PDB file of all heavy atoms in Angstrom:
ATOM      1  N   ALA J 223      17.909  -1.587   6.186  1.00 95.00           N
ATOM      2  CA  ALA J 223      18.089  -0.263   5.598  1.00 95.00           C
ATOM      3  C   ALA J 223      18.676   0.748   6.577  1.00 95.00           C
ATOM      4  O   ALA J 223      18.313   0.783   7.748  1.00 95.00           O
ATOM      5  CB  ALA J 223      16.759   0.255   5.060  1.00 95.00           C
ATOM      6  N   LYS J 224      19.576   1.552   6.059  1.00 96.00           N
ATOM      7  CA  LYS J 224      20.084   2.705   6.787  1.00 96.00           C
ATOM      8  C   LYS J 224      19.256   3.947   6.472  1.00 96.00           C
ATOM      9  O   LYS J 224      19.280   4.928   7.219  1.00 96.00           O
ATOM     10  CB  LYS J 224      21.549   2.952   6.421  1.00 96.00           C
ATOM     11  CG  LYS J 224      22.489   1.807   6.820  1.00 96.00           C
ATOM     12  CD  LYS J 224      23.924   2.091   6.395  1.00 96.00           C
ATOM     13  CE  LYS J 224      24.848   0.937   6.772  1.00 96.00           C
ATOM     14  NZ  LYS J 224      26.240   1.183   6.305  1.00 96.00           N
ATOM     15  N   VAL J 225      18.538   3.893   5.359  1.00 96.00           N
ATOM     16  CA  VAL J 225      17.625   4.970   4.975  1.00 96.00           C
ATOM     17  C   VAL J 225      16.358   4.844   5.818  1.00 96.00           C
ATOM     18  O   VAL J 225      15.902   3.726   6.088  1.00 96.00           O
ATOM     19  CB  VAL J 225      17.277   4.851   3.477  1.00 96.00           C
ATOM     20  CG1 VAL J 225      16.229   5.880   3.069  1.00 96.00           C
ATOM     21  CG2 VAL J 225      18.536   4.995   2.630  1.00 96.00           C
ATOM     22  N   PRO J 226      15.755   5.946   6.264  1.00 93.00           N
ATOM     23  CA  PRO J 226      14.480   5.845   6.985  1.00 93.00           C
ATOM     24  C   PRO J 226      13.436   5.085   6.169  1.00 93.00           C
ATOM     25  O   PRO J 226      13.317   5.286   4.955  1.00 93.00           O
ATOM     26  CB  PRO J 226      14.073   7.311   7.177  1.00 93.00           C
ATOM     27  CG  PRO J 226      15.363   8.067   7.145  1.00 93.00           C
ATOM     28  CD  PRO J 226      16.240   7.338   6.175  1.00 93.00           C
ATOM     29  N   VAL J 227      12.676   4.219   6.828  1.00 92.00           N
ATOM     30  CA  VAL J 227      11.724   3.329   6.160  1.00 92.00           C
ATOM     31  C   VAL J 227      10.314   3.585   6.675  1.00 92.00           C
ATOM     32  O   VAL J 227      10.102   3.749   7.880  1.00 92.00           O
ATOM     33  CB  VAL J 227      12.087   1.842   6.393  1.00 92.00           C
ATOM     34  CG1 VAL J 227      11.026   0.923   5.785  1.00 92.00           C
ATOM     35  CG2 VAL J 227      13.455   1.531   5.812  1.00 92.00           C
ATOM     36  N   ILE J 228       9.355   3.645   5.752  1.00 89.00           N
ATOM     37  CA  ILE J 228       7.949   3.584   6.118  1.00 89.00           C
ATOM     38  C   ILE J 228       7.495   2.158   5.839  1.00 89.00           C
ATOM     39  O   ILE J 228       7.473   1.718   4.693  1.00 89.00           O
ATOM     40  CB  ILE J 228       7.096   4.584   5.327  1.00 89.00           C
ATOM     41  CG1 ILE J 228       7.540   6.015   5.634  1.00 89.00           C
ATOM     42  CG2 ILE J 228       5.618   4.417   5.671  1.00 89.00           C
ATOM     43  CD1 ILE J 228       6.795   7.082   4.847  1.00 89.00           C
ATOM     44  N   GLU J 229       7.155   1.449   6.890  1.00 83.00           N
ATOM     45  CA  GLU J 229       6.835   0.024   6.763  1.00 83.00           C
ATOM     46  C   GLU J 229       5.413  -0.172   6.264  1.00 83.00           C
ATOM     47  O   GLU J 229       4.454   0.295   6.867  1.00 83.00           O
ATOM     48  CB  GLU J 229       7.004  -0.672   8.112  1.00 83.00           C
ATOM     49  CG  GLU J 229       6.766  -2.172   8.064  1.00 83.00           C
ATOM     50  CD  GLU J 229       7.073  -2.845   9.383  1.00 83.00           C
ATOM     51  OE1 GLU J 229       7.568  -2.151  10.302  1.00 83.00           O
ATOM     52  OE2 GLU J 229       6.821  -4.051   9.492  1.00 83.00           O
ATOM     53  N   THR J 230       5.284  -0.829   5.133  1.00 82.00           N
ATOM     54  CA  THR J 230       3.969  -1.223   4.631  1.00 82.00           C
ATOM     55  C   THR J 230       3.827  -2.715   4.885  1.00 82.00           C
ATOM     56  O   THR J 230       4.453  -3.528   4.230  1.00 82.00           O
ATOM     57  CB  THR J 230       3.823  -0.916   3.133  1.00 82.00           C
ATOM     58  OG1 THR J 230       4.821  -1.626   2.395  1.00 82.00           O
ATOM     59  CG2 THR J 230       3.979   0.570   2.874  1.00 82.00           C
ATOM     60  N   GLY J 231       3.035  -3.059   5.871  1.00 71.00           N
ATOM     61  CA  GLY J 231       3.022  -4.434   6.356  1.00 71.00           C
ATOM     62  C   GLY J 231       2.121  -5.351   5.573  1.00 71.00           C
ATOM     63  O   GLY J 231       1.292  -4.949   4.765  1.00 71.00           O
ATOM     64  N   GLU J 232       2.300  -6.636   5.839  1.00 78.00           N
ATOM     65  CA  GLU J 232       1.431  -7.647   5.259  1.00 78.00           C
ATOM     66  C   GLU J 232       0.044  -7.534   5.885  1.00 78.00           C
ATOM     67  O   GLU J 232      -0.144  -6.900   6.917  1.00 78.00           O
ATOM     68  CB  GLU J 232       2.009  -9.034   5.518  1.00 78.00           C
ATOM     69  CG  GLU J 232       2.142  -9.352   6.993  1.00 78.00           C
ATOM     70  CD  GLU J 232       2.846 -10.669   7.244  1.00 78.00           C
ATOM     71  OE1 GLU J 232       2.435 -11.664   6.622  1.00 78.00           O
ATOM     72  OE2 GLU J 232       3.772 -10.687   8.047  1.00 78.00           O
ATOM     73  N   GLY J 233      -0.921  -8.136   5.252  1.00 87.00           N
ATOM     74  CA  GLY J 233      -2.293  -7.977   5.702  1.00 87.00           C
ATOM     75  C   GLY J 233      -2.923  -9.246   6.230  1.00 87.00           C
ATOM     76  O   GLY J 233      -3.659  -9.921   5.508  1.00 87.00           O
ATOM     77  N   ASN J 234      -2.644  -9.593   7.482  1.00 93.00           N
ATOM     78  CA  ASN J 234      -3.394 -10.675   8.114  1.00 93.00           C
ATOM     79  C   ASN J 234      -4.677 -10.054   8.665  1.00 93.00           C
ATOM     80  O   ASN J 234      -4.763  -9.662   9.824  1.00 93.00           O
ATOM     81  CB  ASN J 234      -2.575 -11.337   9.225  1.00 93.00           C
ATOM     82  CG  ASN J 234      -3.256 -12.581   9.759  1.00 93.00           C
ATOM     83  OD1 ASN J 234      -4.194 -13.106   9.142  1.00 93.00           O
ATOM     84  ND2 ASN J 234      -2.818 -13.072  10.896  1.00 93.00           N
TER      85      ASN J 234
END
Side-chain angles (χ1 to χ4, degrees):
K224 297 178 181 177
V225 175
V227 176
I228 297 177
E229 183 174 355
T230 60
E232 60 186 310
N234 188 14

